[in-house]
Amino acid sequence: MDISNFDTVFPPSRPGEPPAYDMKSIERITRNRQHLEGRLFFDRLVRLLRIDRSAVKLYPPRSTQDLRALFDKLSASGAPEHYKQSLLFYLLLDCERAHASIASTFAKHVSLPPKYETYMRGLWALDNLLFKDALHYLTQPNLTPTFAEEILRTLVTQMRGDVSLPLSYYHSAVSSLAPTSGAMQLLFAALCGSSPAEAFFFSRQQAEAARRPLFEQLVAHVLGAEGGEARAAAGECLVGLPFDREEEAWFEEYLLRGVGKRLVGARDSVLVRRLLTGRFDAFLEGRVGQEVRADGVNWGSLKESLRICLGDRAELGRVGVLEG
């Protein structure tokens, strides 16, 4: 197939056939671009391949003349042949709504490498807000992640609190992303809001240097949330997590002496954690300051009752399961 010939790649519509891009298609693509914060992955590819930027303005093409002009700009670029074929394949995927299998037929005729076809189908699905389809294509093992951070960011922001797809993409394709990257920060924040426990175990999988900042981000997210049943449930989950000794120290350091001490319920969380883990000696020592009442809990009375119940054991300091 001669891909330098427009009429070969985009055969003229026969009488009665819809055009390659009708008004519904044009409106859908324009709406999707707005939904994706003004940039499609097609736009990113054009810029990455250093194709004339006016090509972005021609997509979606509003007429056959626009489509031909877009085709000419892609053809005239200095991009390698298989990249040009990939972009044309993307455009033909748009046309399959009106002309079934035209993209698949093109891929066979030009011998487009399977990994390029798979990747373009994934990006096309993203641009069309078909996120489950996109994940199917973009997590194939033969792909080298391109736009990995942008894809992860898109999945996190577009799924609106549902972390299943972005988390699947992370584990399948981009687990090497730096924890400090913007997309990773968005993913972890979404995890914190969805499930503190899942966020906690996710943080443990990261590089040693990243674990403490993520741990503190989790604590800050839970205690910094607006009050209500959801915050209370997340707080209960947080104080009941299976911290190791190092995490236990981070928790108390952050909430008693670090930036986290300003968070509502910071001291209460430490006290509850000490009770839950059986560190009654540390609880009774009152290392959390001189407050007697906090968030409606009279800690002074509670301490006194516990001291009476424990009797001499409290003085001997033998009741702590963990060191205070």
Side-chain angles (χ1 to χ4, degrees):
M1 176 182 284
D2 180 10
I3 69 167
S4 65
N5 187 306
F6 174 80
D7 290 325
T8 300
V9 178
F10 297 96
S13 297
R14 298 173 182 175
E17 285 185 341
Y21 289 87
D22 57 16
M23 282 307 300
K24 286 185 178 180
S25 298
I26 294 169
E27 290 172 357
R28 185 189 71 253
I29 294 168
T30 302
R31 187 169 56 249
N32 289 347
R33 180 180 273 133
Q34 294 171 345
H35 197 76
L36 294 172
E37 301 177 351
R39 181 180 290 188
L40 297 168
F41 281 91
F42 176 84
D43 306 340
R44 298 177 194 273
L45 278 172
V46 167
R47 290 185 171 88
L48 178 67
L49 298 176
R50 298 182 180 179
I51 297 171
D52 189 333
R53 291 194 175 188
S54 62
V56 172
K57 296 180 180 179
L58 289 168
Y59 184 75
R62 298 176 180 277
S63 65
T64 301
Q65 285 183 324
D66 283 351
L67 180 57
R68 185 181 292 273
L70 176 56
F71 173 86
D72 289 342
K73 290 186 181 299
L74 299 182
S75 300
S77 73
E81 197 72 5
H82 54 278
Y83 289 153
K84 294 180 186 180
Q85 294 169 353
S86 296
L87 287 169
L88 292 174
F89 176 76
Y90 178 104
L91 296 178
L92 289 168
L93 285 172
D94 286 336
C95 303
E96 286 201 334
R97 297 176 186 272
H99 306 280
S101 303
I102 189 173
S104 302
T105 301
F106 171 83
K108 290 179 182 178
H109 283 169
V110 301
S111 299
L112 184 65
K115 66 178 182 179
Y116 287 102
E117 179 177 346
T118 300
Y119 187 63
M120 297 311 296
R121 286 187 182 276
L123 293 187
W124 186 88
L126 276 178
D127 284 344
N128 283 271
L129 312 184
L130 304 171
F131 300 117
K132 289 185 179 180
D133 291 346
L135 190 68
H136 168 73
Y137 291 116
L138 295 173
T139 55
Q140 295 300 310
N142 63 330
L143 296 183
T144 300
T146 305
F147 300 130
E149 184 163 353
E150 293 88 341
I151 292 171
L152 182 59
R153 178 187 294 275
T154 297
L155 289 173
V156 172
T157 56
Q158 296 300 319
M159 296 311 295
R160 304 182 184 281
D162 181 356
V163 297
S164 58
L165 290 186
L167 201 57
S168 295
Y169 179 70
Y170 169 82
H171 286 304
S172 300
V174 293
S175 56
S176 60
L177 269 183
T180 54
S181 70
M184 276 290 293
Q185 291 295 310
L186 280 176
L187 174 61
F188 191 70
L191 278 172
C192 291
S194 173
S195 169
E198 192 168 11
F200 170 70
F201 290 112
F202 179 86
S203 72
R204 280 186 165 181
Q205 298 169 7
Q206 306 309 307
E208 191 64 29
R211 284 185 56 208
R212 183 167 184 173
L214 290 176
F215 179 87
E216 292 179 350
Q217 182 182 341
L218 168 61
V219 176
H221 185 95
V222 171
L223 297 186
E226 293 184 7
E229 292 183 5
R231 181 186 185 277
E236 290 177 10
C237 176
L238 176 67
V239 297
L241 290 171
F243 300 162
D244 59 24
R245 287 179 179 271
E246 189 174 39
E247 291 159 344
E248 204 77 59
W250 293 345
F251 186 72
E252 296 210 357
E253 175 67 26
Y254 181 67
L255 291 179
L256 299 182
R257 293 173 288 280
V259 177
K261 68 182 180 181
R262 300 184 181 90
L263 294 168
V264 175
R267 293 180 175 181
D268 283 8
S269 297
V270 173
L271 285 171
V272 171
R273 174 73 187 177
R274 288 176 174 178
L275 281 176
L276 288 176
T277 55
R279 292 179 296 142
F280 304 122
D281 52 341
F283 174 79
L284 292 173
E285 286 175 6
R287 299 177 184 174
V288 294
Q290 301 303 315
E291 292 183 7
V292 174
R293 182 182 296 273
D295 284 356
V297 178
N298 191 323
W299 292 112
S301 297
L302 184 57
K303 285 183 180 181
E304 186 59 30
S305 297
L306 183 60
R307 185 175 283 110
I308 292 172
C309 290
L310 295 175
D312 292 341
R313 290 177 298 170
E315 299 301 323
L316 294 174
R318 295 176 180 172
V319 293
V321 175
L322 299 175
E323 293 182 3

